[in-house]
Amino acid sequence: MSRKQQPKGFHGHVISELGRSIVSGTYPENSLLPRDAELQERFGVSRTVLREALKTLAAKGMIQPKAKIGTRVLARKGWNLFDPDILQWHAEAGAIDAGFLFSLQEMRLALEPEAAALAALRRNDAQVEEIFHWVERMGDMTISGPEFVQYDLRLHIAIAEASQNPFMRAISALVEAALVATFTVSSPIPNTERHKLTVERHRAIAQAIMNKDPEQARSAMRTVILEGIGRVSEVTGKNPLTATNG
């Protein structure tokens, strides 16, 4: 295929492949990426396509191109971990370990209870209906684990949207990464009793939002997130909420 015939998807493909390779450690922090010519040959792309892909990764805080030196992988602490692509690459690369997952859950504890409280204050009837719709979908005892995760995510997104705060909606990628990783480690499916309990916990959030009770909505959301942390702790033997330094 000539360079003029390259599909638009080549740009995204290069970004994703390099991003996953950086997240997985194939290209470790402070290392240099292969030279541009080598990357062009590897991906079969033009210099322009490669440079645009590198600019995108640089904007995410992952790399820093320097003339006459090359493109260096930056330290992970400087990456934009709220970026949906970076979160997805962590999941795809199997780079969400217990520590990373607990950090995600701690961010959820800091944000989602407030989203639920705001939703209780600001929701409209249509939003309440949608929230209960996803609770009912979660409660279907015949669904698969992946379906449960998707319905759970849609519920949390609906709550964020009902909060009327665009920043709450913007953290959906963080919530998705946390949910997928949590259910990969410990899923309530197909444990019937745990499935029912998880659904009832989420129903309590929906009920509080419907009742315009922000304190109860906040508490119910916190309970849901803490139970997710508890399920992971059962498997890993770690609980960051009880850990101490020293």
Side-chain angles (χ1 to χ4, degrees):
M1 178 181 293
S2 70
R3 289 179 180 174
K4 290 184 179 179
Q5 294 174 319
Q6 291 168 358
K8 294 180 180 179
F10 269 34
H11 174 259
H13 173 69
V14 175
I15 293 171
S16 296
E17 287 298 313
L18 286 176
R20 276 192 291 268
S21 295
I22 292 170
V23 168
S24 68
T26 300
Y27 301 126
E29 297 174 42
N30 300 313
S31 68
L32 292 176
L33 293 182
R35 294 290 181 180
D36 287 3
E38 182 179 337
L39 291 174
Q40 285 177 242
E41 182 177 357
R42 172 184 168 185
F43 294 113
V45 297
S46 68
R47 183 180 180 85
T48 299
V49 169
L50 177 63
R51 286 299 177 88
E52 287 302 314
L54 294 178
K55 284 182 182 179
T56 299
L57 292 173
K60 296 177 186 292
M62 301 182 76
I63 61 173
Q64 183 180 46
K66 282 194 173 182
K68 299 182 180 181
I69 297 177
T71 301
R72 186 174 300 280
V73 177
L74 297 178
R76 189 178 299 262
K77 63 182 180 181
W79 299 357
N80 178 11
L81 293 179
F82 285 97
D83 185 284
D85 289 335
I86 294 179
L87 288 170
Q88 181 178 343
W89 295 333
H90 273 83
E92 293 173 350
I96 298 183
D97 58 14
F100 193 87
L101 175 53
F102 284 134
S103 293
L104 286 171
Q105 295 285 33
E106 286 171 350
M107 287 305 300
R108 293 186 65 199
L109 275 176
L111 296 169
E112 285 202 272
E114 294 310 309
L118 290 173
L121 293 171
R122 300 172 177 172
R123 94 298 184 279
N124 58 42
D125 291 344
Q127 289 167 332
V128 170
E129 183 177 348
E130 182 178 5
I131 289 169
F132 273 99
H133 167 76
W134 293 116
V135 172
E136 295 307 318
R137 296 296 295 271
M138 289 173 64
D140 181 351
M141 302 305 291
T142 66
I143 61 175
S144 66
E147 287 174 325
F148 186 90
V149 172
Q150 284 305 307
Y151 299 154
D152 195 357
L153 175 62
R154 291 306 311 173
L155 171 61
H156 286 273
I157 290 175
I159 292 170
E161 289 177 342
S163 77
Q164 307 295 331
N165 185 317
F167 292 99
M168 294 299 186
R169 177 64 178 84
I171 65 166
S172 61
L174 183 152
V175 175
E176 180 176 15
L179 288 175
V180 171
T182 297
F183 286 116
T184 298
V185 174
S186 178
S187 174
I189 308 294
N191 184 321
T192 302
E193 290 307 313
R194 179 164 277 182
H195 183 175
K196 289 180 179 178
L197 176 61
T198 301
V199 172
E200 288 310 306
R201 296 297 195 207
H202 284 79
R203 194 186 307 279
I205 302 173
Q207 192 71 40
I209 291 173
M210 183 181 71
N211 293 341
K212 297 185 178 182
D213 186 337
E215 289 303 322
Q216 187 58 39
R218 183 183 289 113
S219 175
M221 178 66 80
R222 185 174 174 82
T223 295
V224 162
I225 298 170
L226 287 173
E227 288 189 349
I229 292 174
R231 290 200 307 274
V232 175
S233 297
E234 289 176 7
V235 176
T236 64
K238 301 176 181 178
N239 188 331
L241 302 182
T242 60
T244 58
N245 296 321

